[in-house]
Amino acid sequence: MTLPNRLARKTLALTLIMAVAPAWAASPVLVIHGGAGVMRSGMTSEDEAAARAALEQALLAGHARLTEGKPALDAVTAAITVLEDAPMFNAGKGAVFTHDGKNELDSAIMDGTTRRAGAVAGVRRVKNPILLARAVMEKSKHVMMVGEGAEAFARENEITLVDPSYFRTEKRWQQLQRALKEEAAREAHTDIETAKYFGTVGAVALDKQGRLAAGTSTGGMTNKRYGRVGDAPIIGAGTYADAQCAVSGTGWGEFYIRAVAAHDICARVKYAGEGIRQAAEGVINQDIPKAGGDGGAIALAADGSFALPFNTEGMYRGWIGADGVPHVAIYAEDTPEDRGTE
Ligand code: ASP
């Protein structure tokens, strides 16, 4: 082979490698939560086992997408769909009830690389709101759609609609009855502690090409008033992703909205140079409680480090890395390594 020929071949090979290989091959990670509203008193060992099994199933479904080389968005969507279908979490089937006995669902998804986002709020018939949020992102010019308009868009895009009774579970119905009684007692000035019944689900993922994504889906908070929208579908409050950081929150939504919690975690990483764990702890375990709120979050950085802070009795949570082994935890005292790495 003549020299110029060899050079030409080398250049071609190099160009091909650059075209096919990502800038740097990241080690994929998926982190999920099933809500920070875990209350030990209300849990049987069967409940715990069922929650653990569903979390593992969600991790494996998302991880399969990542190992196939699919985008982080696909892993987030796959994991959240599993959690929406599992009746023990407050998203999709098993969502909490509003004050007037309805289920109104909120969801959002965001792609960190492109900062495209899609969100839906107050939908009553969409089986998997995360799929509708993704369709809003990919198939419309908008970021957020609500109520009947969002459902019309779902119909146009062949997203599965169900009868509103699909979402009902007896456990959530009884939670509403208790919340109504507690509210009546409070109005009568009886001193009574109010349970807030969180349970949102969420996922953040890093794919082989180093792309981050975040998604969240929820029924909101038990006994919420008609039309109330929480933090989950509000980009920057309960859901956010950019090129360096992806976050999904769970907790008392009003406080997350006022703190712009998910974005604030990523802003600390971006502008203050904080590590993901420090940033997430600062917002979730300092700022939110200081303001009077509570809850948790999952946060993932582009280098694969992540954090799962919360300030309640427990948060359904899990993560899966390159080895494909799902790690799942529920209560605060469960396995310290599940608090994250940095
Ligand atoms: N953050 C949700 C909301 O306020 C509730 C939850 O996390 O369970 O709508």
Side-chain angles (χ1 to χ4, degrees):
M1 195 190 305
T2 62
L3 199 62
N5 241 346
R6 224 192 282 162
L7 206 67
R9 271 205 183 192
K10 240 186 170 176
T11 316
L12 180 69
L14 206 69
T15 315
L16 274 176
I17 289 170
M18 282 168 69
V20 173
W24 52 282
S27 187
V29 186
L30 169 67
V31 186
I32 62 172
H33 71 78
V38 177
M39 280 179 292
R40 204 186 266 283
S41 58
M43 295 270 275
T44 64
S45 51
E46 289 79 35
D47 291 340
E48 284 179 17
R52 283 177 182 278
L55 290 167
E56 281 193 18
Q57 199 195 332
L59 287 170
L60 293 171
H63 185 257
R65 306 301 192 283
L66 294 176
T67 50
E68 284 163 16
K70 298 260 170 63
L73 273 177
D74 284 7
V76 164
T77 309
I80 292 183
T81 305
V82 170
L83 298 173
E84 285 176 336
D85 291 345
M88 64 290 275
F89 304 112
N90 169 23
K93 184 161 181 70
V96 299
F97 283 95
T98 63
H99 181 69
D100 51 352
K102 301 209 163 77
N103 303 110
E104 294 182 354
L105 313 173
D106 301 339
S107 181
I109 191 160
M110 186 161 186
D111 180 32
T113 316
T114 60
R115 301 257 206 119
R116 286 185 310 154
V120 294
V123 292
R124 292 187 177 163
R125 308 174 60 91
V126 179
K127 181 170 177 276
N128 293 105
I130 192 71
L131 298 181
L132 184 56
R134 187 154 176 188
V136 170
M137 177 177 83
E138 290 177 338
K139 297 180 178 162
S140 84
K141 291 185 184 141
H142 308 300
V143 169
M144 189 176 214
M145 291 189 190
V146 305
E148 282 174 16
E151 286 175 6
F153 181 72
R155 217 167 282 124
E156 278 166 26
N157 285 281
E158 290 169 17
I159 303 267
T160 308
L161 294 174
V162 290
D163 187 86
S165 62
Y166 163 81
F167 300 105
R168 184 197 157 100
T169 58
E170 188 55 27
K171 186 175 153 198
R172 297 298 186 195
W173 183 251
Q174 291 309 327
Q175 275 182 355
L176 174 64
Q177 304 317 308
R178 277 201 299 282
L180 292 172
K181 269 193 207 133
E182 286 169 4
E183 193 170 73
R186 252 196 337 275
E187 274 159 17
H189 305 293
T190 311
D191 197 16
I192 185 164
E193 208 201 318
T194 309
K196 286 185 290 289
Y197 308 120
F198 305 139
T200 295
V201 307
V204 289
L206 173 70
D207 66 27
K208 281 186 180 170
Q209 301 191 31
R211 295 171 298 199
L212 287 163
T216 312
S217 184
T218 188
M221 288 171 74
T222 299
N223 197 23
K224 66 182 181 181
R225 293 317 197 256
Y226 24 74
R228 179 265 190 188
V229 175
D231 59 311
I234 297 183
I235 298 303
T239 307
Y240 186 74
D242 62 24
Q244 283 113 39
C245 165
V247 176
S248 169
T250 164
W252 195 341
E254 279 70 12
F255 288 89
Y256 280 63
I257 294 171
R258 292 196 282 246
V260 203
H263 181 266
D264 201 38
I265 293 172
C266 293
R268 283 174 182 236
V269 171
K270 193 167 172 181
Y271 302 117
E274 291 185 9
I276 197 77
R277 193 165 186 183
Q278 190 190 359
E281 287 278 338
V283 173
I284 300 302
N285 287 339
Q286 290 172 25
D287 296 353
I288 298 264
K290 217 183 283 165
D294 55 359
I298 49 174
L300 174 62
D303 64 359
S305 61
F306 59 87
L308 308 92
F310 59 95
N311 47 55
T312 55
E313 252 185 78
M315 177 169 85
Y316 295 113
R317 60 201 188 277
W319 62 274
I320 190 163
D323 63 2
V325 179
H327 303 261
V328 162
I330 299 181
Y331 301 109
E333 62 278 16
D334 286 352
T335 53
E337 67 271 23
D338 285 318
R339 285 305 194 119
T341 57
E342 201 167 72

